[in-house]
Amino acid sequence: FKNDKRISVSKRKNTKNCIFATGFPFREKQLKENFSGIFLDIFDKIVDLRRMGSACQDLCFVAEGIFDGFFEYGLSPWDIAAGILIVEEAGGKVSDFKGGRDFFKNGDILATNGKIHNKMVSILKKYSRG
C-alpha cells in the first residue's frame, strides 16, 4: 500500500515497452565488463535504463509499476530485504540472475513485474557470478 491505496506492478508483457532501473557495481569495479555486457544485451530490448541510486527505492518503483524491472550486482540483505517483500506483495517476481533465490547470498538481484521475468533471466544468467 501507498497512501492507503494498494499498489501493483506494471502489466507490460513485452520488454520493448519496459523501463528498467539498475545500479552500478561501484563496490566491485571488476564487474564493469559484466555490467557492460548486460547493458549491451538489453539496451535495444527495452525503452530505457535508469539509475536512481537506491536499491530499495528502485524496488518500490517496480512494485508501484513505475519501473518494469530492476537489476543490480552485490547488494547487501539490508539493501533489498524490505523491497523484495514489497515487490512480491505487489504481484512482482524477484530472483537472482539465474532465476533462483540466492540474492541474499551473492547480492545479485532481478525484480520484475513477473510477466517479463523469464526473458530477463535468459539474458542475465550468463552474467551470474554463482
Side-chain angles (χ1 to χ4, degrees):
F1 286 84
K2 178 180 176 182
N3 299 327
D4 295 322
K5 184 180 175 192
R6 181 172 290 281
I7 60 173
S8 180
V9 295
S10 74
K11 308 257 184 278
R12 292 179 192 89
K13 297 178 183 178
N14 186 337
T15 57
K16 277 283 196 193
N17 302 320
C18 293
I19 298 173
F20 268 75
T22 191
F24 302 127
F26 67 93
R27 288 187 200 110
E28 300 180 71
K29 299 217 188 275
Q30 74 277 9
L31 292 172
K32 69 180 180 260
E33 307 278 329
N34 281 17
F35 187 84
S36 296
I38 293 170
F39 177 81
L40 292 172
D41 272 356
I42 71 165
F43 194 66
D44 289 338
K45 296 175 179 78
I46 61 175
V47 171
D48 200 5
L49 184 62
R50 309 277 170 90
R51 183 187 188 287
M52 303 299 291
S54 167
C56 192
Q57 179 183 19
D58 291 332
L59 289 165
C60 288
F61 283 176
V62 171
E64 267 188 273
I66 295 169
F67 294 143
D68 304 289
F70 165 72
F71 66 91
E72 188 168 348
Y73 278 112
L75 295 167
S76 298
W78 52 83
D79 294 324
I80 56 177
I84 289 169
L85 177 63
I86 294 168
V87 168
E88 291 177 341
E89 288 289 318
K93 188 167 182 178
V94 180
S95 73
D96 58 28
F97 287 4
K98 289 183 177 177
R101 301 284 288 182
D102 283 337
F103 39 74
F104 285 130
K105 182 177 161 191
N106 63 23
D108 303 346
I109 187 169
L110 168 65
T112 71
N113 64 9
K115 296 172 183 356
I116 56 170
H117 203 84
N118 292 339
K119 168 83 172 172
M120 293 307 298
V121 166
S122 72
I123 294 168
L124 293 177
K125 67 182 173 185
K126 66 181 159 188
Y127 301 101
S128 178
R129 298 186 296 162

